[in-house]
């Protein structure tokens, strides 16, 4: 979602103006992850650059960017390695610059 879109957004529940509340992840000028609020405090999410107009009453619901950044990737990698069959553990993937 681009910030300029904010000027034309209205709440699908109450019809009031919607404003960007928080930006969690941005690529250039595009907002990838964030939250929106209307004047009556209805909350909506921006996910993968797309506005999700389904109203979320649970204000403690984590956003997608926080979910990714809070993951323990080292333990995830260890779990993957431990569950990989032995015949695939020494398999190498070579990249070419094609």
């Amino acid at each position: 979602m681009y910030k300029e879109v904010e000027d034309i957004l209205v709440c699908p529940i109450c019809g009031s103006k919607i404003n960007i509340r928080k930006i969690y992840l941005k690529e250039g000028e595009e907002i990838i992850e964030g939250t929106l609020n209307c004047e009556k405090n209805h909350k909506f999410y921006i996910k993968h650059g797309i506005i999700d107009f389904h109203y979320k009453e649970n204000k403690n619901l984590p956003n997608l960017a926080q979910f990714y950044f809070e993951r323990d990737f080292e333990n995830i990698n260890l779990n993957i390695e431990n569950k990989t069959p032995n015949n695939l553990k020494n398999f190498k993937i070579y990249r070419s610059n094609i």
Side-chain angles (χ1 to χ4, degrees), residues 30-47:
E30 186 176 11
I31 301 166
I32 305 300
E33 303 290 333
T35 56
L36 304 165
N37 271 38
C38 76
E39 294 167 354
K40 294 192 178 176
N41 243 4
H42 295 118
K43 186 175 184 178
F44 307 97
Y45 292 91
I46 304 167
K47 300 175 185 174

Side-chain angles (χ1 to χ4, degrees), residues 68-85:
Y68 284 122
F69 293 127
E70 292 172 357
R71 304 279 33 120
D72 184 5
F73 288 109
E74 251 182 70
N75 280 334
I76 292 172
N77 285 340
L78 286 174
N79 285 334
I80 291 170
E81 287 175 21
N82 291 336
K83 292 180 181 181
T84 302

Side-chain angles (χ1 to χ4, degrees), residues 15-76:
S16 65
K17 182 171 174 18
I18 289 180
N19 297 303
I20 296 170
R21 181 172 176 236
K22 282 190 178 180
I23 298 172
Y24 295 105
L25 185 62
K26 202 172 176 185
E27 279 184 15
E29 295 298 312
E30 186 176 11
I31 301 166
I32 305 300
E33 303 290 333
T35 56
L36 304 165
N37 271 38
C38 76
E39 294 167 354
K40 294 192 178 176
N41 243 4
H42 295 118
K43 186 175 184 178
F44 307 97
Y45 292 91
I46 304 167
K47 300 175 185 174
H48 304 289
I50 300 168
I51 302 168
D52 179 3
F53 279 112
H54 293 98
Y55 174 61
K56 310 292 192 253
E57 288 188 29
N58 182 359
K59 299 193 184 341
N60 296 321
L61 188 66
N63 69 51
L64 196 55
Q66 283 177 328
F67 172 79
Y68 284 122
F69 293 127
E70 292 172 357
R71 304 279 33 120
D72 184 5
F73 288 109
E74 251 182 70
N75 280 334
I76 292 172

